[in-house]
Amino acid sequence: MLDLSFESPKPKIISGAKFDWELVIGMEVHAQVASASKLFSGASTEFGNEPNSNVSFVDAAMPGMLPVINEFCVEQAVKTGLGLKAKINLWSAFDRKNYFYPDLPQGYQISQLYHPIVGEGEVIVDLEPGIARKVRIERIHMEQDAGKSIHDMDPNMSFVDLNRTGVCLMEIVSRPDIRGPEEAAAYVVKLRQIMRYLGTCDGNMQNGNLRADVNVSVCLPGQYEKYQQTDDFRHLGVRCEIKNMNSMRFIQQAIDVEARRQIAILETGGKVEQETRLYDPDKSETRSMRSKEEAHDYRYFPDPDLLPLEIDQNWVDTVRSSLPELPDEKKLRFINDYKLTEYDAGVLTADIESADFFESVAKLCEGKLAANWVINELFGRLKKDDLPINESPVSPNQLAGIITLIQNEEISGKIAKELFEIVYVDGGNPNEIVDKRGMKQVTDTSTIEKSVEIVINDNPDQVAKAKLNPKLAGWFVGQVMKATGGKANPKSVNEIVFKKLNL
Ligand code: MN
């Protein structure tokens, strides 16, 4: 299969008072595994349940309770790793990351620091046709989510909801290969797209099922290339980590604001302190949360309640063979099979439902026309009604029916749009509607000739003008189209008008 070649985008430059600066960004994305139960307990993961109703004794860390690993969560993590073309580690292990927080009853989070289940991989982040960034993945590890402290329900008390405690997260860690705010958002969009294709994370950012931590630093032009050649981080600036963002817009704004803060410090002779910060969208600033902690601060050690996780290659191969066609491959296939532009193929493969819909249409009629109609007419109309593609009132069969009528020159493009609206609102078979309502294009030249003659005879002044300026013949074409209710074949009308006017 052909490979889609692309060029890397230019890094984003931010001009300070003295110098131009480049951005360097690495991301840690927490993706909640799509699974009915938690990582080490059988409690439900359903969103929106009564607070503290999805909590087992294990999640509440009652004395003597032991974690039991959920095999399905492991499979989901492996699937995600394979989708990111990453190395799967057949031997991995769980560690305790110790810290106190009211929404973490155990007093530690079970995570994988030293031996993650997934190793190095890569993601192609599409920015525009022909321009993409290859972002290297460093690792993916599994870990438990914490619960939720609620401070805004009562003036004197705080509450805790442990429903989320122990839910399985995949932490996807990238290398610092991202060079601007737009790229950072596009990276998260691509990860989400791949995971939705795989069915391993629903990507719902509003519910907190996908959150991003962003590591931002700035450097002078040329430094990043030195880092690339030597893999030595000292060529890059000191980074700050901005925690827990759950919207694409906030990710971009936070990066921009944080980079400008660092630039202001550096240009006035100061030093950027490595720390963890929070983004406040209301004030459009980042604030220090805590100075950057190191691994030893958490006193990580192997969890004595859990054996190392060993999986075998045959099982990994079975999981691999169950993978669906992924976005990059599907896009490439659409370009090759249906002769689509990269842009159109990108739009149609943005989600699997749209891709499937398009392909059902394209199997029944001409691919390029099918792409135009799905993207321009169908998506536009659905957007107007705020409907998802799987609730489209027009089925692939109906849309293919309309397109086939255009292909066979039985209806004009203009009539096709009317027909589309009729099918969208009232349903029905496009062929039957066209027959019943007499919408077929008039290709019979004698009918068109008659109509042209009438217009010519009725408008001697226009005829005189057109003889002096042939461009005005278009007026006659318009009149004939009007007289035939848009059903005349425009090409025939044009030819006949020129012939009758002797132009
Ligand atoms: Mn984490």
Short mmCIF file of all heavy atoms in Angstrom, two decimals, residues 141-197:
data_model
loop_
_atom_site.label_atom_id
_atom_site.label_comp_id
_atom_site.label_asym_id
_atom_site.label_seq_id
_atom_site.Cartn_x
_atom_site.Cartn_y
_atom_site.Cartn_z
N HIS A 141 1.24 3.38 30.60
CA HIS A 141 1.07 2.49 31.76
C HIS A 141 -0.36 2.54 32.27
O HIS A 141 -1.10 3.48 31.99
CB HIS A 141 2.08 2.82 32.87
CG HIS A 141 1.98 4.21 33.41
ND1 HIS A 141 2.86 5.21 33.03
CD2 HIS A 141 1.12 4.76 34.29
CE1 HIS A 141 2.54 6.32 33.68
NE2 HIS A 141 1.50 6.09 34.45
N MET A 142 -0.73 1.48 32.99
CA MET A 142 -2.07 1.41 33.58
C MET A 142 -1.98 1.90 35.01
O MET A 142 -0.98 1.66 35.70
CB MET A 142 -2.56 -0.03 33.59
CG MET A 142 -2.93 -0.56 32.24
SD MET A 142 -3.73 -2.17 32.41
CE MET A 142 -2.30 -3.20 32.67
N GLU A 143 -3.01 2.58 35.47
CA GLU A 143 -3.04 3.01 36.86
C GLU A 143 -4.47 3.25 37.30
O GLU A 143 -5.40 3.29 36.48
CB GLU A 143 -2.19 4.29 37.05
CG GLU A 143 -2.69 5.49 36.27
CD GLU A 143 -1.74 6.68 36.41
OE1 GLU A 143 -0.54 6.50 36.65
OE2 GLU A 143 -2.24 7.82 36.26
N GLN A 144 -4.64 3.43 38.61
CA GLN A 144 -5.97 3.69 39.16
C GLN A 144 -6.27 5.18 39.13
O GLN A 144 -5.39 6.00 39.38
CB GLN A 144 -6.02 3.28 40.63
CG GLN A 144 -5.75 1.84 40.92
CD GLN A 144 -5.71 1.63 42.43
OE1 GLN A 144 -4.89 2.22 43.12
NE2 GLN A 144 -6.60 0.78 42.93
N ASP A 145 -7.53 5.51 38.89
CA ASP A 145 -7.95 6.90 39.03
C ASP A 145 -8.26 7.14 40.52
O ASP A 145 -8.44 6.18 41.28
CB ASP A 145 -9.19 7.17 38.19
CG ASP A 145 -9.36 8.65 37.85
OD1 ASP A 145 -8.59 9.47 38.39
OD2 ASP A 145 -10.26 8.98 37.06
N ALA A 146 -8.29 8.41 40.92
CA ALA A 146 -8.68 8.77 42.28
C ALA A 146 -10.15 9.17 42.29
O ALA A 146 -10.78 9.25 41.24
CB ALA A 146 -7.81 9.93 42.77
N GLY A 147 -10.69 9.42 43.47
CA GLY A 147 -12.07 9.88 43.57
C GLY A 147 -12.13 11.38 43.37
O GLY A 147 -11.21 11.99 42.81
N LYS A 148 -13.22 11.96 43.87
CA LYS A 148 -13.43 13.39 43.63
C LYS A 148 -13.79 14.08 44.94
O LYS A 148 -14.73 13.65 45.62
CB LYS A 148 -14.58 13.53 42.62
CG LYS A 148 -14.69 14.89 42.00
CD LYS A 148 -15.78 14.85 40.93
CE LYS A 148 -16.33 16.22 40.71
NZ LYS A 148 -17.64 16.20 40.07
N SER A 149 -13.01 15.11 45.29
CA SER A 149 -13.38 15.93 46.44
C SER A 149 -14.27 17.05 45.96
O SER A 149 -14.01 17.65 44.92
CB SER A 149 -12.13 16.52 47.10
OG SER A 149 -11.29 15.48 47.57
N ILE A 150 -15.31 17.34 46.74
CA ILE A 150 -16.26 18.38 46.32
C ILE A 150 -16.27 19.46 47.39
O ILE A 150 -16.63 19.21 48.55
CB ILE A 150 -17.66 17.78 46.12
CG1 ILE A 150 -17.59 16.68 45.06
CG2 ILE A 150 -18.67 18.85 45.70
CD1 ILE A 150 -18.68 15.65 45.14
N HIS A 151 -15.84 20.65 47.00
CA HIS A 151 -15.69 21.73 47.98
C HIS A 151 -16.75 22.82 47.84
O HIS A 151 -16.77 23.76 48.62
CB HIS A 151 -14.31 22.38 47.84
CG HIS A 151 -13.18 21.38 47.92
ND1 HIS A 151 -12.90 20.67 49.07
CD2 HIS A 151 -12.28 20.96 46.99
CE1 HIS A 151 -11.87 19.86 48.84
NE2 HIS A 151 -11.49 20.02 47.59
N ASP A 152 -17.60 22.72 46.82
CA ASP A 152 -18.50 23.84 46.55
C ASP A 152 -19.97 23.54 46.84
O ASP A 152 -20.85 24.22 46.36
CB ASP A 152 -18.31 24.34 45.11
CG ASP A 152 -18.53 23.24 44.09
OD1 ASP A 152 -18.91 22.11 44.49
OD2 ASP A 152 -18.32 23.49 42.90
N MET A 153 -20.24 22.50 47.63
CA MET A 153 -21.64 22.17 47.92
C MET A 153 -22.10 22.70 49.26
O MET A 153 -23.29 22.82 49.52
CB MET A 153 -21.84 20.65 47.88
CG MET A 153 -22.17 20.14 46.49
SD MET A 153 -22.27 18.35 46.42
CE MET A 153 -23.73 18.04 47.43
N ASP A 154 -21.15 23.02 50.13
CA ASP A 154 -21.48 23.45 51.49
C ASP A 154 -20.42 24.43 51.96
O ASP A 154 -19.25 24.24 51.68
CB ASP A 154 -21.52 22.21 52.40
CG ASP A 154 -22.03 22.53 53.80
OD1 ASP A 154 -21.26 23.10 54.61
OD2 ASP A 154 -23.20 22.21 54.07
N PRO A 155 -20.84 25.50 52.66
CA PRO A 155 -19.84 26.49 53.08
C PRO A 155 -18.88 25.95 54.15
O PRO A 155 -17.76 26.45 54.28
CB PRO A 155 -20.68 27.64 53.64
CG PRO A 155 -22.03 27.07 53.91
CD PRO A 155 -22.21 25.91 53.00
N ASN A 156 -19.29 24.94 54.91
CA ASN A 156 -18.46 24.49 56.03
C ASN A 156 -17.86 23.11 55.86
O ASN A 156 -17.01 22.70 56.64
CB ASN A 156 -19.29 24.48 57.32
CG ASN A 156 -19.87 25.84 57.61
OD1 ASN A 156 -19.17 26.85 57.55
ND2 ASN A 156 -21.17 25.89 57.87
N MET A 157 -18.32 22.39 54.85
CA MET A 157 -17.86 21.00 54.72
C MET A 157 -17.38 20.69 53.32
O MET A 157 -17.82 21.31 52.36
CB MET A 157 -19.03 20.05 55.03
CG MET A 157 -19.21 19.76 56.51
SD MET A 157 -20.41 18.44 56.71
CE MET A 157 -21.93 19.32 56.39
N SER A 158 -16.51 19.72 53.24
CA SER A 158 -16.14 19.16 51.94
C SER A 158 -16.70 17.75 51.86
O SER A 158 -16.87 17.09 52.89
CB SER A 158 -14.63 19.13 51.77
OG SER A 158 -14.15 20.41 51.44
N PHE A 159 -17.00 17.30 50.65
CA PHE A 159 -17.52 15.96 50.45
C PHE A 159 -16.58 15.17 49.57
O PHE A 159 -15.75 15.73 48.88
CB PHE A 159 -18.90 16.02 49.78
CG PHE A 159 -19.93 16.71 50.61
CD1 PHE A 159 -20.14 18.08 50.49
CD2 PHE A 159 -20.71 15.99 51.51
CE1 PHE A 159 -21.08 18.73 51.27
CE2 PHE A 159 -21.67 16.63 52.29
CZ PHE A 159 -21.85 18.00 52.16
N VAL A 160 -16.75 13.86 49.61
CA VAL A 160 -15.93 13.03 48.73
C VAL A 160 -16.82 12.01 48.03
O VAL A 160 -17.74 11.46 48.63
CB VAL A 160 -14.76 12.38 49.51
CG1 VAL A 160 -15.25 11.29 50.46
CG2 VAL A 160 -13.72 11.82 48.55
N ASP A 161 -16.58 11.84 46.73
CA ASP A 161 -17.31 10.85 45.93
C ASP A 161 -16.28 9.86 45.40
O ASP A 161 -15.39 10.23 44.62
CB ASP A 161 -18.03 11.56 44.78
CG ASP A 161 -18.73 10.58 43.84
OD1 ASP A 161 -18.74 9.36 44.15
OD2 ASP A 161 -19.25 11.02 42.80
N LEU A 162 -16.38 8.60 45.83
CA LEU A 162 -15.37 7.60 45.46
C LEU A 162 -15.76 6.77 44.24
O LEU A 162 -15.11 5.75 43.95
CB LEU A 162 -15.08 6.68 46.65
CG LEU A 162 -14.54 7.35 47.92
CD1 LEU A 162 -14.29 6.32 49.01
CD2 LEU A 162 -13.26 8.12 47.63
N ASN A 163 -16.81 7.19 43.52
CA ASN A 163 -17.23 6.39 42.36
C ASN A 163 -16.11 6.16 41.35
O ASN A 163 -16.03 5.12 40.72
CB ASN A 163 -18.41 7.07 41.64
CG ASN A 163 -19.72 6.77 42.34
OD1 ASN A 163 -19.75 6.02 43.32
ND2 ASN A 163 -20.79 7.37 41.86
N ARG A 164 -15.26 7.15 41.23
CA ARG A 164 -14.21 7.06 40.24
C ARG A 164 -12.96 6.33 40.76
O ARG A 164 -12.09 5.93 39.98
CB ARG A 164 -13.81 8.48 39.84
CG ARG A 164 -13.52 8.58 38.41
CD ARG A 164 -13.19 9.95 37.92
NE ARG A 164 -13.11 9.82 36.50
CZ ARG A 164 -13.91 10.42 35.62
NH1 ARG A 164 -14.80 11.28 36.03
NH2 ARG A 164 -13.79 10.19 34.36
N THR A 165 -12.87 6.19 42.06
CA THR A 165 -11.70 5.56 42.68
C THR A 165 -11.46 4.16 42.12
O THR A 165 -12.35 3.32 42.17
CB THR A 165 -11.90 5.46 44.21
OG1 THR A 165 -12.23 6.74 44.69
CG2 THR A 165 -10.66 4.95 44.90
N GLY A 166 -10.29 3.94 41.59
CA GLY A 166 -9.94 2.59 41.13
C GLY A 166 -10.31 2.31 39.69
O GLY A 166 -10.04 1.23 39.17
N VAL A 167 -10.94 3.29 39.02
CA VAL A 167 -11.23 3.11 37.60
C VAL A 167 -9.90 3.05 36.84
O VAL A 167 -8.94 3.71 37.22
CB VAL A 167 -12.10 4.30 37.10
CG1 VAL A 167 -12.10 4.40 35.58
CG2 VAL A 167 -13.53 4.18 37.64
N CYS A 168 -9.83 2.23 35.79
CA CYS A 168 -8.55 2.05 35.08
C CYS A 168 -8.27 3.20 34.12
O CYS A 168 -9.08 3.54 33.27
CB CYS A 168 -8.58 0.75 34.28
SG CYS A 168 -7.02 0.44 33.40
N LEU A 169 -7.09 3.80 34.29
CA LEU A 169 -6.62 4.82 33.37
C LEU A 169 -5.44 4.29 32.59
O LEU A 169 -4.66 3.48 33.10
CB LEU A 169 -6.16 6.07 34.13
CG LEU A 169 -7.14 6.76 35.05
CD1 LEU A 169 -6.45 7.94 35.74
CD2 LEU A 169 -8.37 7.23 34.29
N MET A 170 -5.31 4.78 31.36
CA MET A 170 -4.07 4.55 30.62
C MET A 170 -3.38 5.91 30.59
O MET A 170 -3.97 6.89 30.17
CB MET A 170 -4.36 4.14 29.18
CG MET A 170 -5.11 2.82 29.07
SD MET A 170 -5.48 2.40 27.35
CE MET A 170 -6.92 3.42 27.01
N GLU A 171 -2.16 5.96 31.09
CA GLU A 171 -1.42 7.21 30.98
C GLU A 171 -0.50 7.09 29.77
O GLU A 171 0.40 6.26 29.75
CB GLU A 171 -0.63 7.53 32.25
CG GLU A 171 0.10 8.87 32.10
CD GLU A 171 0.76 9.37 33.38
OE1 GLU A 171 0.26 9.08 34.48
OE2 GLU A 171 1.80 10.04 33.25
N ILE A 172 -0.77 7.93 28.79
CA ILE A 172 -0.02 7.89 27.52
C ILE A 172 0.99 9.03 27.55
O ILE A 172 0.61 10.20 27.60
CB ILE A 172 -0.97 8.04 26.32
CG1 ILE A 172 -2.08 6.98 26.39
CG2 ILE A 172 -0.20 7.95 25.00
CD1 ILE A 172 -3.23 7.23 25.43
N VAL A 173 2.27 8.68 27.58
CA VAL A 173 3.32 9.69 27.73
C VAL A 173 4.05 9.88 26.40
O VAL A 173 4.54 8.92 25.81
CB VAL A 173 4.34 9.25 28.81
CG1 VAL A 173 5.41 10.31 29.02
CG2 VAL A 173 3.62 8.92 30.12
N SER A 174 4.10 11.13 25.94
CA SER A 174 4.79 11.39 24.67
C SER A 174 6.20 11.89 24.92
O SER A 174 6.54 12.33 26.01
CB SER A 174 4.02 12.44 23.84
OG SER A 174 4.41 13.75 24.23
N ARG A 175 7.03 11.85 23.89
CA ARG A 175 8.32 12.54 23.93
C ARG A 175 8.05 14.02 23.66
O ARG A 175 6.98 14.36 23.16
CB ARG A 175 9.27 11.97 22.84
CG ARG A 175 9.54 10.48 22.94
CD ARG A 175 10.28 10.07 24.19
NE ARG A 175 11.56 10.75 24.41
CZ ARG A 175 12.74 10.29 24.01
NH1 ARG A 175 12.83 9.13 23.39
NH2 ARG A 175 13.85 10.96 24.24
N PRO A 176 9.02 14.90 23.95
CA PRO A 176 8.77 16.34 23.72
C PRO A 176 8.87 16.70 22.24
O PRO A 176 9.75 17.45 21.83
CB PRO A 176 9.85 17.02 24.55
CG PRO A 176 10.96 16.02 24.61
CD PRO A 176 10.33 14.66 24.57
N ASP A 177 7.97 16.15 21.43
CA ASP A 177 8.05 16.31 19.98
C ASP A 177 7.04 17.31 19.45
O ASP A 177 6.97 17.55 18.25
CB ASP A 177 7.79 14.95 19.29
CG ASP A 177 8.92 13.96 19.54
OD1 ASP A 177 9.98 14.38 20.03
OD2 ASP A 177 8.73 12.76 19.24
N ILE A 178 6.22 17.86 20.33
CA ILE A 178 5.13 18.75 19.91
C ILE A 178 5.64 20.19 19.97
O ILE A 178 6.29 20.57 20.94
CB ILE A 178 3.90 18.52 20.82
CG1 ILE A 178 3.46 17.05 20.71
CG2 ILE A 178 2.77 19.47 20.45
CD1 ILE A 178 2.54 16.60 21.82
N ARG A 179 5.40 20.97 18.91
CA ARG A 179 6.06 22.27 18.80
C ARG A 179 5.12 23.47 18.78
O ARG A 179 5.53 24.57 18.38
CB ARG A 179 6.95 22.28 17.54
CG ARG A 179 7.95 21.12 17.43
CD ARG A 179 8.92 21.02 18.59
NE ARG A 179 9.55 22.27 18.93
CZ ARG A 179 10.60 22.80 18.30
NH1 ARG A 179 11.12 22.17 17.28
NH2 ARG A 179 11.10 23.94 18.69
N GLY A 180 3.88 23.30 19.19
CA GLY A 180 2.99 24.45 19.23
C GLY A 180 1.64 24.08 19.83
O GLY A 180 1.32 22.90 19.93
N PRO A 181 0.86 25.09 20.24
CA PRO A 181 -0.44 24.83 20.86
C PRO A 181 -1.40 24.07 19.94
O PRO A 181 -2.10 23.15 20.38
CB PRO A 181 -1.01 26.22 21.16
CG PRO A 181 0.15 27.16 21.07
CD PRO A 181 1.15 26.54 20.16
N GLU A 182 -1.43 24.43 18.64
CA GLU A 182 -2.35 23.75 17.72
C GLU A 182 -1.96 22.29 17.57
O GLU A 182 -2.83 21.41 17.50
CB GLU A 182 -2.34 24.42 16.33
CG GLU A 182 -2.78 25.87 16.30
CD GLU A 182 -1.70 26.85 16.77
OE1 GLU A 182 -0.50 26.44 16.85
OE2 GLU A 182 -2.04 28.01 17.08
N GLU A 183 -0.66 22.04 17.52
CA GLU A 183 -0.18 20.65 17.41
C GLU A 183 -0.58 19.84 18.64
O GLU A 183 -0.92 18.66 18.54
CB GLU A 183 1.34 20.61 17.29
CG GLU A 183 1.85 20.93 15.93
CD GLU A 183 3.38 20.81 15.87
OE1 GLU A 183 3.95 19.91 16.52
OE2 GLU A 183 4.00 21.64 15.19
N ALA A 184 -0.51 20.50 19.80
CA ALA A 184 -0.85 19.80 21.05
C ALA A 184 -2.31 19.36 21.02
O ALA A 184 -2.64 18.21 21.36
CB ALA A 184 -0.60 20.69 22.26
N ALA A 185 -3.19 20.27 20.59
CA ALA A 185 -4.61 19.91 20.51
C ALA A 185 -4.83 18.84 19.45
O ALA A 185 -5.56 17.88 19.66
CB ALA A 185 -5.45 21.15 20.21
N ALA A 186 -4.14 18.99 18.30
CA ALA A 186 -4.30 18.01 17.22
C ALA A 186 -3.80 16.63 17.65
O ALA A 186 -4.36 15.60 17.25
CB ALA A 186 -3.54 18.47 15.97
N TYR A 187 -2.79 16.62 18.51
CA TYR A 187 -2.27 15.35 19.04
C TYR A 187 -3.35 14.65 19.88
O TYR A 187 -3.59 13.45 19.74
CB TYR A 187 -1.02 15.63 19.88
CG TYR A 187 -0.55 14.49 20.74
CD1 TYR A 187 0.10 13.39 20.18
CD2 TYR A 187 -0.72 14.51 22.12
CE1 TYR A 187 0.55 12.34 20.97
CE2 TYR A 187 -0.29 13.47 22.93
CZ TYR A 187 0.35 12.39 22.35
OH TYR A 187 0.78 11.36 23.14
N VAL A 188 -4.00 15.41 20.76
CA VAL A 188 -5.06 14.82 21.59
C VAL A 188 -6.23 14.36 20.73
O VAL A 188 -6.80 13.28 20.95
CB VAL A 188 -5.53 15.80 22.69
CG1 VAL A 188 -6.64 15.19 23.53
CG2 VAL A 188 -4.36 16.21 23.58
N VAL A 189 -6.56 15.16 19.71
CA VAL A 189 -7.63 14.77 18.79
C VAL A 189 -7.29 13.44 18.12
O VAL A 189 -8.13 12.54 18.02
CB VAL A 189 -7.86 15.86 17.70
CG1 VAL A 189 -8.74 15.35 16.57
CG2 VAL A 189 -8.48 17.11 18.33
N LYS A 190 -6.03 13.29 17.71
CA LYS A 190 -5.64 12.05 17.02
C LYS A 190 -5.64 10.86 17.95
O LYS A 190 -6.12 9.78 17.60
CB LYS A 190 -4.26 12.23 16.37
CG LYS A 190 -3.83 11.10 15.44
CD LYS A 190 -4.80 10.93 14.28
CE LYS A 190 -4.41 9.80 13.34
NZ LYS A 190 -3.42 10.20 12.34
N LEU A 191 -5.14 11.06 19.18
CA LEU A 191 -5.18 9.96 20.16
C LEU A 191 -6.63 9.52 20.39
O LEU A 191 -6.95 8.34 20.41
CB LEU A 191 -4.61 10.41 21.51
CG LEU A 191 -3.10 10.49 21.70
CD1 LEU A 191 -2.82 10.85 23.15
CD2 LEU A 191 -2.42 9.17 21.36
N ARG A 192 -7.50 10.52 20.57
CA ARG A 192 -8.91 10.23 20.83
C ARG A 192 -9.52 9.47 19.65
O ARG A 192 -10.25 8.50 19.83
CB ARG A 192 -9.67 11.53 21.09
CG ARG A 192 -11.13 11.31 21.40
CD ARG A 192 -11.82 12.59 21.79
NE ARG A 192 -11.86 13.52 20.67
CZ ARG A 192 -12.43 14.72 20.73
NH1 ARG A 192 -12.97 15.13 21.85
NH2 ARG A 192 -12.43 15.51 19.68
N GLN A 193 -9.19 9.92 18.44
CA GLN A 193 -9.72 9.27 17.24
C GLN A 193 -9.30 7.79 17.20
O GLN A 193 -10.12 6.91 16.97
CB GLN A 193 -9.21 10.01 16.00
CG GLN A 193 -9.75 9.45 14.70
CD GLN A 193 -9.00 10.01 13.49
OE1 GLN A 193 -7.84 10.42 13.59
NE2 GLN A 193 -9.65 10.01 12.35
N ILE A 194 -8.02 7.55 17.45
CA ILE A 194 -7.52 6.17 17.40
C ILE A 194 -8.19 5.32 18.49
O ILE A 194 -8.65 4.21 18.24
CB ILE A 194 -5.97 6.14 17.56
CG1 ILE A 194 -5.32 6.78 16.32
CG2 ILE A 194 -5.47 4.72 17.76
CD1 ILE A 194 -3.83 7.02 16.46
N MET A 195 -8.30 5.86 19.70
CA MET A 195 -8.90 5.09 20.79
C MET A 195 -10.38 4.83 20.56
O MET A 195 -10.91 3.79 20.94
CB MET A 195 -8.65 5.78 22.13
CG MET A 195 -7.18 5.72 22.55
SD MET A 195 -6.87 6.26 24.23
CE MET A 195 -7.18 8.02 24.11
N ARG A 196 -11.06 5.80 19.92
CA ARG A 196 -12.48 5.56 19.60
C ARG A 196 -12.62 4.49 18.53
O ARG A 196 -13.53 3.66 18.60
CB ARG A 196 -13.14 6.86 19.13
CG ARG A 196 -13.48 7.76 20.30
CD ARG A 196 -14.10 9.05 19.83
NE ARG A 196 -14.61 9.83 20.95
CZ ARG A 196 -15.00 11.10 20.84
NH1 ARG A 196 -14.95 11.72 19.68
NH2 ARG A 196 -15.45 11.75 21.90
N TYR A 197 -11.73 4.49 17.54
CA TYR A 197 -11.76 3.42 16.54
C TYR A 197 -11.56 2.07 17.23
O TYR A 197 -12.20 1.10 16.90
CB TYR A 197 -10.63 3.62 15.52
CG TYR A 197 -11.01 4.38 14.26
CD1 TYR A 197 -11.41 5.71 14.32
CD2 TYR A 197 -10.94 3.78 13.01
CE1 TYR A 197 -11.73 6.41 13.16
CE2 TYR A 197 -11.26 4.46 11.85
CZ TYR A 197 -11.65 5.78 11.93
OH TYR A 197 -11.96 6.47 10.78
#
